[in-house]
Amino acid sequence: MKKKLSKIIQIVLPLALGLFLIWYTYTKFTPEQLDQLKDNFLKADYLYIWISMIFGALSHFSRAYRWNYLLEPLGHRARLANSFMAVSIGYLLNFAIPRSGEVSRALVITKYDNVPFEKAFGTIVAERIADLFISVCILFIALSLQFDTLWGLMDTHHINTGKLILLGIAGILVMLLFWIYLKRTRSAFGIRIRNFVHGLKDGVLSILSMKKKWAFIGHTLFIWIMYVLMFYICIFAFPETKAITFSQALSLFVVGSFTIAFTNGGFGTYPFLIAEAILLYGVDYTVGTSFGWIVWLSQTAVIVFLGLVSFLLLPWYNRTR
């Protein structure tokens, strides 16, 4: 019962927050501003949006291709089509329950390519570690280039950086205590968890033992270049945003990434925070809102389309093999 309640809260709470922000944002607009929003959508140059969506699809493909570089040192290999569909389904499921997509990816490869779940999941954790490293690098680059703007945005929304640091330290201490418990426990449950963690460790360490390290690094860089470009290219869809520089766009990309990471795909929160952030660069709030929605909707359309198609094709593809 508690597990069901927890899952319901995980799904409903972020969606409720997104709906509240949508309602809150649009109650502040006058009828004239709402008309302006419609005009912004109509006058946008959708050629750039389509290019952005292509970049998004390419990042999916590269992520699927990169996965085998981690599986091979463990003695396993997944078919590229299965990897691509697993990645696409994982992104889609993350909209329902944040971080559930990683589990579904491992389950798909376990079912259709006979890769042990804990090892498949371990390689996904290894991927996330590599991605986290790149995202932190992008964050520091954005901070160095646009520190005043990002700090101003945090100050505007009364985000306490001291509390964030303390929360991070507390999280590290909890993980350390949990690791000590796993090493010392003799309970059946603890041993199962320990064996599972060892499987995860094998997946993570596969980064060090892979033969094609540079290919893995190349794909990792390519994935994040696609992420940045799929955002940056949308800047040119509106006349009012074309003056935004690449460094400014990078800071906006960081803001958007945080909303996607901590909510159900940024539903409601992404356009809201992008509009707030882009306002600091002198872009009108209604234009910023339209920009945020178009970027979010285009990215979401890629995820939903590829995810649904993968759901339909995955069983059929593996029946015909």
Side-chain angles (χ1 to χ4, degrees):
M1 185 67 182
K2 287 183 178 180
K3 282 187 176 180
K4 286 185 179 179
L5 182 61
S6 176
K7 286 184 179 180
I8 291 171
I9 291 172
Q10 286 178 5
I11 296 170
V12 172
L13 192 60
L15 290 175
L17 175 62
L19 288 170
F20 170 76
L21 287 174
I22 293 170
W23 171 82
Y24 174 75
T25 301
Y26 290 97
T27 53
K28 296 195 299 182
F29 287 132
T30 64
E32 291 77 15
Q33 288 176 316
L34 290 173
D35 288 337
Q36 188 180 345
L37 280 172
K38 295 176 186 176
D39 291 339
N40 290 335
F41 276 96
L42 292 173
K43 74 180 182 182
D45 189 340
Y46 285 93
L47 173 62
Y48 295 106
I49 307 303
W50 282 107
I51 295 172
S52 169
M53 293 169 75
I54 291 170
F55 288 153
L58 287 173
S59 72
H60 279 49
F61 182 81
S62 183
R63 183 175 291 278
Y65 199 91
R66 183 185 68 169
W67 199 1
N68 270 322
Y69 293 139
L70 290 168
L71 290 171
E72 284 174 356
L74 303 177
H76 300 283
R77 186 172 181 84
R79 285 169 285 178
L80 181 59
N82 281 342
S83 296
F84 180 78
M85 287 186 280
V87 167
S88 299
I89 290 169
Y91 275 117
L92 181 61
L93 289 181
N94 275 337
F95 273 104
I97 305 174
R99 305 277 69 89
S100 65
E102 282 73 9
V103 176
S104 72
R105 277 180 63 186
L107 288 172
V108 167
I109 295 303
T110 298
K111 180 177 180 179
Y112 293 111
D113 285 310
N114 300 315
V115 179
F117 174 80
E118 65 276 7
K119 293 187 182 293
F121 191 73
T123 58
I124 295 169
V125 173
E127 277 190 0
R128 290 305 184 191
I129 290 171
D131 290 331
L132 178 63
F133 176 77
I134 299 297
S135 63
V136 169
C137 288
I138 292 173
L139 173 61
F140 278 112
I141 291 170
L143 281 172
S144 64
L145 296 173
Q146 298 288 317
F147 179 81
D148 290 340
T149 301
L150 290 172
W151 187 266
L153 184 64
M154 292 179 71
D155 187 55
T156 299
H157 292 278
H158 308 292
I159 298 174
N160 191 315
T161 52
K163 287 183 178 179
L164 287 177
I165 293 169
L166 287 174
L167 187 63
I169 293 171
I172 292 170
L173 288 174
V174 168
M175 290 173 65
L176 181 62
L177 290 172
F178 182 66
W179 177 250
I180 293 170
Y181 163 77
L182 287 181
K183 286 181 75 73
R184 295 184 176 182
T185 185
R186 295 186 181 277
S187 69
F189 174 76
I191 290 170
R192 282 201 299 270
I193 295 293
R194 187 165 61 207
N195 291 337
F196 180 74
V197 170
H198 281 311
L200 294 182
K201 184 183 72 174
D202 289 342
V204 172
L205 292 178
S206 64
I207 290 179
L208 302 177
S209 58
M210 73 174 72
K211 294 179 181 178
K212 301 174 181 176
K213 291 187 184 70
W214 292 110
F216 177 86
I217 292 170
H219 273 281
T220 302
L221 292 174
F222 178 81
I223 289 166
W224 282 90
I225 288 169
M226 289 299 100
Y227 285 166
V228 172
L229 287 180
M230 70 188 286
F231 180 88
Y232 178 65
I233 197 71
C234 293
I235 293 291
F236 301 98
F238 292 92
E240 296 88 347
T241 58
K242 285 182 178 180
I244 290 176
T245 64
F246 182 77
S247 64
Q248 292 171 340
L250 198 62
S251 68
L252 295 172
F253 171 79
V254 168
V255 171
S257 297
F258 274 113
T259 66
I260 290 173
F262 294 107
T263 63
N264 289 45
F267 175 69
T269 56
Y270 188 96
F272 173 76
L273 280 181
I274 288 293
E276 291 284 338
I278 208 169
L279 191 64
L280 299 174
Y281 296 125
V283 177
D284 183 75
Y285 191 78
T286 55
V287 175
T289 303
S290 302
F291 173 81
W293 272 112
I294 283 183
V295 172
W296 184 82
L297 286 170
S298 62
Q299 294 175 5
T300 302
V302 173
I303 291 170
V304 171
F305 174 76
L306 292 178
L308 290 177
V309 169
S310 296
F311 260 121
L312 295 173
L313 290 183
L314 186 64
W316 173 83
Y317 172 78
N318 286 279
R319 268 202 311 267
T320 58
R321 300 297 295 177

